[in-house]
Amino acid sequence: QAAAEEEEEEGGGAVTALLRPADVAPFGRREIAAEEGEDGARGGGGSSPAAPPPAEYALYTHRAEGLRVLGAEDAVEVRLAAREWEIVVVAPVRAEGEVRWAPLGLLDMLNGGGAVLSSSLALSSPPGEAAATAVVWAAGRIGAFARPAPLEVCVDGSPVRFEYDEGSGLLTVNVAADGAEVEPLELRARWGPPAEEEEEEQQS
């Protein structure tokens, strides 16, 4: 949850907040580490420069269910009336080729972003194929920012139905809980030619 430059508006106690990804502590520290890694001022004496911070971040508003993608120093304005509240999930966007990916976690939880245990995005061969994964703490309504729309989405290796909003890039998958135990699950999205075309190429 990020909030900066809050101003109490006259009449009614409404609040306006400018939200910036750079205001979120982990991302701010990552930028500092990247800068200091170049000259060896901290950590390892500069033998292995830190990776640069992501160029983009996905911001998902919990109550409004809105998704925006911003640069680290870009800002989005949020207005709240008296006694209203909002939670914003901020996730770094991974980019490989034409594919962008940012898991948002469990959309119906207040701290849904904390349900993401790990994430990856990689290109594969032949050219034009890519795969992204997100290990999520439990079942539920899982969300992610994805561009373009994936060809296929699997949960623990099994294809599942998914919804995709072309306007925002929001990918959602509903995963029903299997029993009383809470177990991590792996969400995998794939981009590339349809499976039928792959089989035809292999046979030829």
Side-chain angles (χ1 to χ4, degrees):
Q1 185 172 2
E5 298 183 17
E6 293 188 357
E7 298 179 357
E8 185 172 347
E9 298 180 348
E10 295 181 0
V15 173
T16 298
L18 292 179
L19 307 182
R20 297 186 182 91
D23 293 332
V24 181
F27 304 138
R29 287 198 296 269
R30 186 175 302 169
E31 291 178 2
I32 294 172
E35 293 174 359
E36 294 182 344
E38 294 176 357
D39 58 14
R42 186 184 300 174
S47 59
S48 57
E56 294 180 314
Y57 295 82
L59 281 72
Y60 179 80
T61 48
H62 176 80
R63 294 187 67 193
E65 297 189 346
L67 177 61
R68 297 279 298 273
V69 176
L70 302 176
E73 295 295 338
D74 294 336
V76 60
E77 185 177 271
V78 175
R79 293 178 179 270
L80 300 176
R83 299 188 179 183
E84 281 190 335
W85 59 271
E86 183 61 276
I87 295 176
V88 182
V89 174
V90 183
V93 176
R94 298 174 181 267
E96 292 289 348
E98 299 297 322
V99 178
R100 294 185 291 163
W101 171 255
L104 303 170
L106 296 171
L107 301 184
D108 296 326
M109 289 182 61
L110 292 180
N111 187 28
V116 180
L117 303 180
S118 64
S119 173
S120 67
L121 171 64
L123 298 177
S124 57
S125 182
E129 291 194 1
T133 64
V135 177
V136 183
W137 178 68
R141 189 164 66 104
I142 303 171
F145 165 71
R147 288 282 192 205
L151 178 68
E152 180 184 58
V153 175
C154 296
V155 172
D156 289 340
S158 300
V160 296
R161 296 182 61 180
F162 64 92
E163 296 181 4
Y164 183 77
D165 183 81
E166 290 284 352
S168 65
L170 178 61
L171 169 73
T172 55
V173 178
N174 282 296
V175 181
D178 185 11
E181 294 186 4
V182 176
E183 296 182 356
L185 53 88
E186 182 186 68
L187 177 75
R188 183 177 186 272
R190 184 177 70 87
W191 293 263
E196 294 79 5
E197 293 184 12
E198 293 179 352
E199 294 177 357
E200 292 177 358
E201 292 178 0
Q202 294 175 356
Q203 294 175 357
S204 62

